[in-house]
C-alpha cells in the first residue's frame, strides 16, 4: 500500500493555504486526472467544518467517482480526508498546518491509500511516487497562481 509524507514550508499565510485546500469545487481546474469535483454537503459542527465531495478521477476514457468526507478541525489546523464510497478501499490523508510567521507556514501532508481493485492497485503502486509529486506540485502551483 503506497504511503507518503511530505513536510514543506510555504511563503503564504496558513489560513489562505487551508482555504485553497478546502476549495474542492476548483480541484477540477488544476489537479491532474481530476475530471470533476463537486462539494455535495458543507456544514459547520462546533470547531469543525465537514465537507462531503465527489471527485471524478480518470485518464482518457477511464474514469471513476469517489466520495470523500473532509474534516477541517480549526483548533489544530488539521484536515483529514476519509473515503465514503467509490474505488478506494483505504485512505488516510492528513494535512497539518503550522504558522511560522503571518506570511508563511509549514504544511505536513500524509497519505496512505489502497484501491479496491487488486490489479489497478498493483499498477497504481508502481506510479504512485511520480503521481504524488505531480499532484503535490499542482497544489503548489495553484497556491502561487491564486495567492502569489
Amino acid at each position: 500500500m503506497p504511503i507518503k509524507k511530505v513536510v514543506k514550508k510555504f511563503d503564504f499565510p496558513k489560513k489562505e493555504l487551508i482555504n485553497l485546500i478546502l476549495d474542492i469545487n476548483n480541484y477540477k481546474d488544476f489537479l491532474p486526472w481530476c475530471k470533476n469535483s463537486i462539494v455535495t454537503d458543507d456544514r459547520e459542527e462546533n470547531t469543525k467544518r465537514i465537507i462531503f465531495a465527489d471527485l471524478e478521477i480518470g485518464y482518457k476514457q477511464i474514469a471513476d467517482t469517489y466520495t470523500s468526507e473532509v474534516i477541517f478541525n480549526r483548533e489544530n489546523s488539521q484536515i483529514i480526508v476519509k473515503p465514503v464510497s467509490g474505488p478506494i478501499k483505504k485512505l488516510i490523508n492528513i494535512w497539518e498546518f503550522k504558522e511560522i510567521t503571518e506570511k508563511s507556514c509549514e504544511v505536513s501532508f500524509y497519505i496512505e491509500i489502497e484501491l479496491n481493485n487488486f490489479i489497478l492497485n498493483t499498477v497504481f503502486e508502481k506510479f504512485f511516487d511520480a503521481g504524488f509529486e505531480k499532484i503535490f506540485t499542482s497544489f503548489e502551483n495553484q497556491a502561487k497562481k491564486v495567492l502569489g
Side-chain angles (χ1 to χ4, degrees):
M1 174 174 4
I3 298 172
K4 190 83 165 179
K5 181 172 183 177
V6 172
V7 178
K8 188 165 185 172
K9 179 185 178 270
F10 286 86
D11 292 321
F12 301 109
K14 177 178 85 169
K15 183 178 179 183
E16 290 184 18
L17 273 178
I18 290 170
N19 289 337
L20 179 93
I21 302 305
L22 294 175
D23 190 13
I24 298 165
N25 281 328
N26 285 323
Y27 282 13
K28 64 186 170 290
D29 298 330
F30 70 92
L31 268 184
W33 310 295
C34 185
K35 294 180 172 230
N36 202 6
S37 51
I38 301 169
V39 170
T40 58
D41 189 19
D42 190 345
R43 62 180 177 263
E44 300 289 330
E45 290 185 11
N46 300 318
T47 61
K48 295 180 181 173
R49 180 177 174 193
I50 300 170
I51 301 168
F52 285 87
D54 291 339
L55 293 183
E56 182 184 359
I57 306 298
Y59 181 73
K60 295 188 180 183
Q61 304 303 330
I62 300 170
D64 206 344
T65 299
Y66 79 93
T67 300
S68 60
E69 177 185 30
V70 179
I71 302 165
F72 171 51
N73 186 329
R74 284 184 182 78
E75 289 182 335
N76 63 6
S77 298
Q78 185 180 69
I79 298 171
I80 297 175
V81 182
K82 301 176 184 178
V84 174
S85 65
I88 297 175
K89 181 178 183 179
K90 179 180 181 181
L91 173 67
I92 301 169
N93 180 207
I94 303 168
W95 295 82
E96 295 177 316
F97 302 83
K98 294 179 185 168
E99 187 170 85
I100 299 170
T101 69
E102 271 186 23
K103 295 183 179 183
S104 67
C105 66
E106 180 183 270
V107 177
S108 172
F109 177 85
Y110 175 85
I111 189 164
E112 186 174 332
I113 187 167
E114 182 178 3
L115 302 179
N116 284 325
N117 183 301
F118 176 78
I119 295 168
L120 287 178
N121 196 61
T122 303
V123 172
F124 179 71
E125 286 179 359
K126 293 181 187 308
F127 298 100
F128 178 74
D129 285 340
F132 172 84
E133 291 302 324
K134 192 169 184 172
I135 289 169
F136 196 79
T137 299
S138 71
F139 275 107
E140 285 184 277
N141 291 340
Q142 183 70 359
K144 289 173 187 172
K145 178 182 171 186
V146 173
L147 308 174

